[in-house]
Amino acid sequence: MHVAALQMVSGIHVAANLAVARQLLERAAAQGAELAVLPEYFCVMGLKDTDKLEVQEAAGEGPIQDFLARSARELGLWVVGGTVPLRASDRRHVRNSSLVYAPSGQCVARYDKIHLFRFDNGIEQYDESRVIECGAEPVTFELPSADGHNYRVGLSICYDLRFPELYRAMKADVLLVPSAFTRTTGQAHWEALLRARAIENLAYVVAAAQGGAHENGRHTWGQSLVVDPWGEVLAQHAQNPAVVMAQVSAERLRAVRLQLPALNHGVL
């Protein structure tokens, strides 16, 4: 199964971001992808954190969700909408939600980010909890591929990457990590964390990232990549918009898991 991690440098205008996302999705489909993953905040990187509140949508309705459903249906792709700001329990917060659309255009899974990013090195300060309400449950979905295999796919978002227990609980074949890592934390830890999650779970990892200098002044690390269950980086791209393509193989999963059966996945 061919998968695509889509890298973006999202700006402050939703319509412009959706246009770029559509171009990348079309490129992925043309290259034979079955699954395409957009990055965290693909639809907007606002001038301030509270800009998310202005574009939030109710679950199941709204222009961003309509865009994802239409793109999946028209392109015949499994599309993961990195994150979409969905309505929370109060007006001061949103859920940072990863939505999965089948080629039919139906939304088949939703994961709300559990671990919210906080960072302060004296120069950069971030605290997602000011605007985002955290989720509580891990989420997986089943993806029947064209080659006849059924993959269990686990959902996560960005800062979740630092919490290995989430990934172990999912017992997945493919782990998705749409992200917007800062340049500082990404340079230090991004690849190491992604490879670790692949190795310890004997699973593929597909990480779609924001990568570049944004209109709001933020600089994200990028390096969207796909890692195989032995920890080998199959494909990657440093900065700027890109389609990162790689192949997920059920045979490779079986071969690696036979060598280390103690993990006892019982999936493939």
Side-chain angles (χ1 to χ4, degrees), residues 151-172:
Y151 296 92
R152 181 181 294 170
V153 183
L155 300 176
S156 67
I157 300 167
C158 201
Y159 196 56
D160 283 332
L161 192 54
R162 295 183 181 272
F163 299 85
E165 62 274 13
L166 171 66
Y167 298 87
R168 184 55 59 90
M170 292 190 281
K171 293 183 169 62

Side-chain angles (χ1 to χ4, degrees), residues 2-240:
H2 287 91
V3 299
L6 308 183
Q7 184 160 291
M8 295 180 62
V9 188
S10 296
I12 62 176
H13 301 294
V14 172
N17 294 328
L18 297 188
V20 173
R22 177 64 188 220
Q23 292 173 0
L24 294 172
L25 288 166
E26 289 175 354
R27 284 174 54 191
Q31 293 178 44
E34 290 185 57
L35 169 66
V37 184
L38 289 157
E40 185 181 29
Y41 302 134
F42 82 95
C43 55
V44 67
M45 291 277 281
L47 291 173
K48 55 188 184 299
D49 285 346
T50 52
D51 286 351
K52 300 179 187 69
L53 303 176
E54 303 302 318
V55 299
Q56 68 179 292
E57 299 181 355
E61 59 183 78
I64 301 169
Q65 294 169 85
D66 289 347
F67 162 82
L68 292 168
R70 184 173 62 255
S71 295
R73 185 174 60 252
E74 292 175 352
L75 299 174
L77 280 172
W78 289 84
V79 173
V80 179
T83 60
V84 177
L86 296 185
R87 192 169 296 165
S89 61
D90 65 70
R91 296 183 178 181
R92 296 175 302 164
H93 294 83
V94 295
R95 291 291 183 108
N96 196 25
S97 303
S98 188
L99 303 177
V100 181
Y101 291 82
S104 64
Q106 178 185 4
C107 184
V108 298
R110 168 185 169 177
Y111 166 69
D112 295 346
K113 188 176 185 178
I114 294 174
H115 302 99
L116 304 183
F117 182 48
R118 292 183 183 181
F119 178 69
D120 186 346
N121 65 356
I123 301 172
E124 303 170 86
Q125 296 86 29
Y126 301 96
D127 185 353
E128 289 185 325
S129 66
R130 294 171 183 157
V131 176
I132 295 173
E133 180 181 75
C134 67
E137 298 294 332
V139 175
T140 64
F141 69 97
E142 301 297 319
L143 194 163
S145 66
D147 62 8
H149 296 286
N150 200 57
Y151 296 92
R152 181 181 294 170
V153 183
L155 300 176
S156 67
I157 300 167
C158 201
Y159 196 56
D160 283 332
L161 192 54
R162 295 183 181 272
F163 299 85
E165 62 274 13
L166 171 66
Y167 298 87
R168 184 55 59 90
M170 292 190 281
K171 293 183 169 62
D173 305 310
V174 181
L175 299 165
L176 307 184
V177 194
S179 300
F181 257 58
T182 67
R183 185 176 180 84
T184 301
T185 58
Q187 185 175 25
H189 302 143
W190 171 250
E191 183 177 331
L193 287 168
L194 290 166
R195 294 182 67 198
R197 298 297 85 83
I199 293 165
E200 68 197 9
N201 293 288
L202 298 180
Y204 283 92
V205 172
V206 181
Q210 296 282 351
H214 299 263
E215 287 180 272
N216 62 6
R218 185 170 173 177
H219 200 147
T220 47
W221 175 244
Q223 198 189 356
S224 293
L225 53 80
V226 180
V227 187
D228 86 349
W230 198 250
E232 178 184 355
V233 177
L234 302 179
Q236 62 183 313
H237 184 87
Q239 290 269 288
N240 301 319

